[in-house]
Amino acid sequence: MPLAQKKARPRNTARRAAEETVDAVDARLPLSEAGRALLRKAFPDHWSFLLGELALYGFVVLLVTGVYLTLFFEPSMTESVYQGSYEPLRGVRTTQAYASTLRISFDVRGGLLVRQIHHWAALVFVASIGAHLLRVFFTGAFRRPREANWAVGVTMFLLALLEGFAGYSLPDDLLSGTGLRTAQGIMLSLPVVGTYLSFFVFGGAYPGDDIVPRLYPAHILLVPGLLLALISLHLLLIVRLKHTQWARPGSTGRNVVGKPLFPHYTAKSAGLFFMVFGVLAVLGALAQINPVWNYGPYRTDHDSTASQPDWYVGFLEGALRLMPGVETRLWGHTLMWNPLVPGVLLPGALFLVLYAYPFFERWVTRGTGEHHLCDRPRDRPVRTGLGVAALTAYGVLLLAGGQDVIAFVFDVPVHALTWTFRVALLVLPVVAFWVTSRLCLALQAYERDLVEKEKATGEVDQSVEGGYHPLHDRLPVEKRYVLLARDLPRPLEAPAGRRSPARRRLTARLRSSLSHWYYGHRVLPPVTEEEHRRIEAVLAGPERASDPGDHTS
């Protein structure tokens, strides 16, 4: 017994010292209370909320594989004769960047696998951010108080595009060099400053000797650091503002119903990470991507046949191919509308619209309260129609970026295919908007009939007179809750009176017209006054003075 007590004495001393240390730290930094609140935080249990986590885990895989690749890659454009293990290129002059990429692919153990995992992870990362932004857009999760978080997400998407293009250009192969040449042409299209910008980026006349050494630190340090900071800010805002959630019994604008962060959501999220890593590893092992040895080193007098960029910049390639070659001479300067319009103005307008859209929709919407329940896309036909129209235009441009390949495969003239895509770019988005908005209204009308006439069971009953009557069941409580708990804003009234200044009256009329275009067509659910008051109470956000917090289920 004394021996056992003697052995237990160091453990008890260490335990007391640890407890005293934790108490002392917690007295100065109340970490335990914050930690308990964080571990109790509820996360909605729906697959659509995992899109952001796919992007997060894709970024983690990019960091891990990128660190490994930096150990062997040489960001230098110094040329030498290749004497590596890839025999078809022996004796060919290549840059150190291209030669080191070949060495990673053929001589470094596991190098090709890691390089391909890195490339696939980049595609998944950009695709996940795009899908997450679409989910936020179509469900209205960008509305107050999450406008800042939407801007953070759009900025991350922009940085992801820049990061992907920089990494795509580092190997200095013929395909990536063609992309850099396109980028330099876009720079030169800028009036007055284009030439200076090109000289600054490339370190002299194209292609220069500095572009790869300059892209390398931006790719491994600057942009990843900015992305890491924005991801941290994004997660912090999610914790502070709480998750949005789908309408279901118990879910309101003042709570979050879901699983607690620990242990339920942590286990599910960890499982998702290993699934993402496993899928990327399988793709890296079995699906070849970016075989730079087939393209050869970049030379300014060579071009890659059927060269295609990664999908996330494919729409720019398509816009460049569809824009006619028009130029204007003004004040001694030549404006090249192609590539100025598709290469500069189009992406600039795209991101300007993305940044401004939450504030635009708030401007045309009655009321400025907080919104914490997700919209169903069918309940906002104009917003949904605009999103589908934008996706349709993107699809047309993406296909146009491969017009030469399509023409070769299907044996059609490139000129005819170009005009087909030009007409489709003008017509198909309009058709997509009209069809989508009409479908949304039709679904609203169908759900109104469900609530009014109850739900047909598909069975019939025969009366004593011999007649047949369909049987109906009342809608389940959960289904009825979803159909009725929706926000349908009323359009703004046209301004009355002429006492205000003319400019203010014009702005008010424009705002009213846009509001009627947005919300003038809607199918109101058949609810009583009492049900209407209950719906408003469900949709109302938390008061500043009180916050009921989260709820786990």
Side-chain angles (χ1 to χ4, degrees), residues 132-147 150 244-246 357-358 361 369-377 380 383-384 487:
H132 183 56
L133 285 174
L134 288 175
R135 198 277 301 176
V136 172
F137 175 81
F138 283 116
T139 61
F142 55 81
R143 296 176 297 175
R144 182 184 176 191
R146 297 176 179 84
E147 300 96 336
W150 167 263
T244 55
Q245 58 185 338
W246 294 99
Y357 184 83
E361 185 170 306
E370 296 184 1
H371 301 273
H372 299 277
L373 291 182
C374 293
D375 293 329
R376 295 185 307 162
R380 298 297 180 103
R383 180 206 294 158
T384 305
D487 183 19

Side-chain angles (χ1 to χ4, degrees), residues 185-413:
I186 293 175
M187 295 177 195
L188 292 177
S189 69
L190 292 170
V192 182
V193 299
T195 305
Y196 301 100
L197 180 62
S198 175
F199 267 69
F200 172 76
V201 172
F202 290 92
Y206 180 85
D209 296 324
D210 297 336
I211 184 62
V212 170
R214 288 179 177 180
L215 285 176
Y216 185 68
H219 180 69
I220 69 170
L221 291 176
L222 177 60
V223 181
L226 293 175
L227 281 171
L228 188 60
L230 289 176
I231 289 173
S232 302
L233 177 60
H234 182 69
L235 296 176
L236 180 64
L237 289 175
I238 289 177
V239 173
R240 176 64 182 88
L241 300 175
K242 303 184 185 299
H243 264 285
T244 55
Q245 58 185 338
W246 294 99
R248 63 174 182 173
S251 299
T252 70
R254 299 175 301 280
N255 65 4
V256 178
V257 178
K259 302 298 183 182
L261 174 62
F262 185 83
H264 301 80
Y265 200 81
T266 301
K268 183 171 71 173
S269 186
L272 179 64
F273 167 74
F274 289 114
M275 290 176 61
V276 170
F277 185 80
V279 170
L280 290 175
V282 171
L283 286 174
L286 302 179
Q288 186 182 78
I289 189 170
N290 199 24
V292 296
W293 52 89
N294 288 339
Y295 309 138
Y298 178 64
R299 287 183 53 180
T300 55
D301 57 339
H302 288 181
D303 196 3
S304 177
T305 303
S307 60
Q308 307 294 322
D310 281 335
W311 67 268
Y312 46 84
V313 290
F315 76 101
L316 284 180
E317 178 75 16
L320 289 169
R321 297 189 182 196
L322 295 186
M323 179 72 186
V326 181
E327 64 181 46
T328 303
R329 187 78 176 171
L330 290 174
W331 303 297
H333 297 279
T334 301
L335 287 179
M336 296 295 299
W337 297 109
N338 186 6
L340 178 61
V341 172
V344 178
L345 300 183
L346 175 64
L350 170 64
F351 281 96
L352 179 61
V353 169
L354 289 176
Y355 279 115
Y357 184 83
F359 306 98
F360 167 76
E361 185 170 306
R362 181 180 177 183
W363 185 62
V364 300
T365 305
R366 182 189 300 272
T368 58
E370 296 184 1
H371 301 273
H372 299 277
L373 291 182
C374 293
D375 293 329
R376 295 185 307 162
R378 68 186 64 181
D379 295 332
R380 298 297 180 103
V382 173
R383 180 206 294 158
T384 305
L386 290 175
V388 173
L391 289 176
T392 303
Y394 171 82
V396 172
L397 292 176
L398 186 62
L399 290 175
Q403 60 175 171
D404 53 341
V405 178
I406 297 174
F408 175 78
V409 172
F410 295 99
D411 193 21
V412 296

